[in-house]
Amino acid sequence: MGSAVRVLAEATPATRDRYVDLLRVGSLAVVVLGHWMMAAVTPDGVGNLLAVVPALQPLTWLLQVMPVFFFVGGFSHALSYRSLLRKRPGGPAASDASASASADSVYAAFLRARLQRLLRPTMVFVLVWGVVALLVQLLGGGGGLTGVTLRLVTQPLWFIGIYLAMVAFTPPLLRLHERYGWGAFAGLAGAAAAVDVLRFAAGVPYVEFLNFAFVWLAVHQLGFLRADGRLGTASASASGAGSTPGTGLRALRSLRVPALLAGGGLIGAVVLVAAGPYPLSMVGMPGEKVSNMAPPTLALLAHGLWLVGAVELLRAPAARLLARPRAWRTVVAANGVAMTAFLWHLTAMLGVYGVLLALDVPLPEPATAAWWAQTPLRLAAAAALTAALVAAFRTFEHPAPPSAATPAPGSGPLAALGATLCLLGVLGLSMVGLGGLLEGRTALLIAIPVSAPAAVAMTLGGWLLVERAGRGAR
């Protein structure tokens, strides 16, 4: 693997924005570490450290970094979709009629490429765990920590479902961005604010679920703005040695938008939490009446603005760091297995606790001195087990060779239907888990009961439709 990483790193085009790759890997790494740290496991079940020690909840304002991942996704999706549009027959100079038809086929090809990278490792994870869960329950297991594990391991799939929605909405929202720029973002942010007003001030039932779309798509829209250089374009060397007073002034000016985002977002989040119905924690808490995460709130959107602005302020020094070969090779290597590590990290963590319980190793009460003293060993063991799982399953994260076929005109609606089934299936599986397979356990997904087998079938069926639409004919 080392030689392959070196080749990839050395072949990186000079025009590639390496900082985006660092943000992608870094945000997932922070999420993984946060999950490992927050788990307060006892022989009776799994709790949340933030509930045990509420004073730690302000740390979520730094560690809830999913907005950064979705922001980076918007940037990457804009570049990828535009690249496919340029390669279509006739390119940018195509007539309106042919451009519309080819854009339809480009959409199918775009969805196929993106879903392959997401769903190949995801479905391997689901199928492996599905077999394990079925065997455990056929043998009469499924209680205690095993039952908790079967419910918890699929919960992070909500992120995959939301990300699939962002992929599906990229073409229409990119067109809105190209026409209205910041106005498109403002429209989504305004819609998120209106939803919270209807929810908290008018008491309109179920309206809050619209913010799964408005909040996360608004953050995603910021990635489009970055792709067009509207968040500032400070170069890596703007503040380095040898820069002239003019270049230094331009670099400072380029930081104005990120600074406004960071400052305005942070102030907005503080005001909303202090004066409104929003909780302090930016992650979900057990038993809370209002969560900033599920469904997302205006406070979480403000938090996302603060994080996006903050990471953009660090763009120039990070770019200088990534110009060093060793640092860039590390990012390249991590990017190749990041999704696999994310999918399996809870399996590794719960596996460590399972081994401790099987060996009758005492589990200290969460947040005690003994618990904190044991934490480095648990984290090291979870990291080692995650690495072993990545070694076993990383091959499924490698993208499939691109198809030489051109999707047929009119394939876009079929691909959109497939993507919708995929995201609903993945979201349903994240909610229902893999426990209670023999009893037909279900969870409500948009007021419809969904079982784990039905969720898997939806996902696989949707993926098949996207593959059929995006592959086309030679």
Side-chain angles (χ1 to χ4, degrees):
M1 182 179 177
S3 59
V5 168
R6 185 180 295 274
V7 170
L8 283 174
E10 292 175 351
T12 302
T15 55
R16 186 176 183 89
D17 192 333
R18 301 181 178 195
Y19 187 41
V20 167
D21 295 289
L22 175 63
L23 290 179
R24 183 184 298 110
V25 169
S27 57
L28 286 180
V30 170
V31 170
V32 168
L33 182 61
H35 285 168
W36 286 346
M37 287 295 300
M38 285 194 304
V41 180
T42 67
D44 300 321
V46 180
N48 190 319
L49 180 65
L50 299 177
V52 179
V53 189
L56 295 176
Q57 292 181 20
L59 291 177
T60 62
W61 289 47
L62 292 174
L63 301 179
Q64 169 49 289
V65 293
M66 273 304 180
V68 175
F69 189 90
F70 293 145
F71 162 65
V72 168
F75 175 88
S76 300
H77 296 158
L79 297 187
S80 176
Y81 187 71
R82 286 170 171 170
S83 175
L84 289 173
L85 284 177
R86 288 192 297 269
K87 295 174 182 176
R88 68 186 176 183
S95 66
D96 289 344
S98 62
S100 176
S102 61
D104 194 52
S105 62
V106 165
Y107 180 59
F110 171 74
L111 283 181
R112 178 176 183 256
R114 288 286 157 174
L115 264 63
Q116 277 189 345
R117 186 70 186 266
L118 283 171
L119 290 183
R120 288 181 76 209
T122 300
M123 293 316 297
V124 169
F125 168 81
V126 169
L127 293 176
V128 169
W129 259 112
V131 170
V132 170
L134 184 60
L135 289 175
V136 166
Q137 291 167 71
L138 285 173
L139 294 173
L145 186 60
T146 301
V148 172
T149 298
L150 296 179
R151 293 194 301 272
L152 286 183
V153 289
T154 63
Q155 284 188 4
L157 295 181
W158 74 266
F159 147 77
I160 305 289
I162 297 297
Y163 200 79
L164 287 171
M166 292 177 176
V167 172
F169 279 107
T170 287
L173 289 179
L174 189 56
R175 287 193 290 271
L176 284 177
H177 160 75
E178 290 167 347
R179 182 170 182 179
Y180 298 109
W182 279 98
F185 164 78
L188 289 167
V195 165
D196 273 12
V197 170
L198 292 173
R199 175 187 181 184
F200 294 116
V204 177
Y206 305 115
V207 70
E208 63 266 26
F209 294 104
L210 291 174
N211 267 350
F212 276 111
F214 292 140
V215 168
W216 290 128
L217 289 176
V219 174
H220 188 251
Q221 205 79 6
L222 290 173
F224 296 166
L225 292 162
R226 188 188 195 278
D228 286 348
R230 299 193 187 188
L231 296 188
T233 55
S235 68
S237 60
S239 59
S243 62
T244 66
T247 57
L249 182 60
R250 285 194 297 272
L252 287 175
R253 286 175 177 171
S254 70
L255 297 178
R256 285 184 300 184
V257 174
L260 286 172
L261 283 175
L266 185 58
I267 291 171
V270 169
V271 170
L272 288 169
V273 169
Y278 305 102
L280 175 62
S281 174
M282 290 297 167
V283 301
M285 298 293 296
E288 63 185 355
K289 186 177 180 180
V290 175
S291 167
N292 280 322
M293 272 293 294
T297 63
L298 185 61
L300 185 66
L301 177 56
H303 171 71
L305 295 181
W306 132 249
L307 285 182
V308 167
V311 298
E312 283 296 286
L313 289 173
L314 298 173
R315 182 176 175 181
R320 290 194 294 274
L321 171 66
L322 294 173
R324 301 176 182 176
R326 180 176 296 179
W328 177 235
R329 285 197 300 271
T330 302
V331 172
V332 170
N335 250 313
V337 298
M339 188 57 63
T340 304
F342 174 79
L343 288 167
W344 290 97
H345 77 280
L346 282 186
T347 300
M349 180 200 76
L350 292 166
V352 169
Y353 278 107
V355 170
L356 292 176
L357 289 172
L359 296 176
D360 290 327
V361 176
L363 293 183
E365 282 297 314
T368 61
W371 187 89
W372 287 110
Q374 196 187 69
T375 296
L377 296 176
R378 291 197 308 271
L379 293 181
L385 186 50
T386 300
L389 290 166
V390 165
F393 295 107
R394 70 186 182 198
T395 185
F396 299 102
E397 190 165 347
H398 298 165
S403 173
T406 301
S411 56
L414 182 63
L417 173 61
T420 302
L421 288 174
C422 284
L423 71 91
L424 290 176
V426 170
L427 287 175
L429 191 57
S430 74
M431 297 170 65
V432 71
L434 293 170
L437 291 178
L438 302 181
E439 294 80 21
R441 182 173 182 266
T442 62
L444 284 180
L445 177 66
I446 317 178
I448 300 174
V450 176
S451 66
V456 173
M458 273 197 295
T459 306
L460 290 175
W463 191 12
L464 180 63
L465 290 179
V466 172
E467 282 291 311
R468 179 179 176 183
R471 188 185 304 114
R474 296 183 184 276

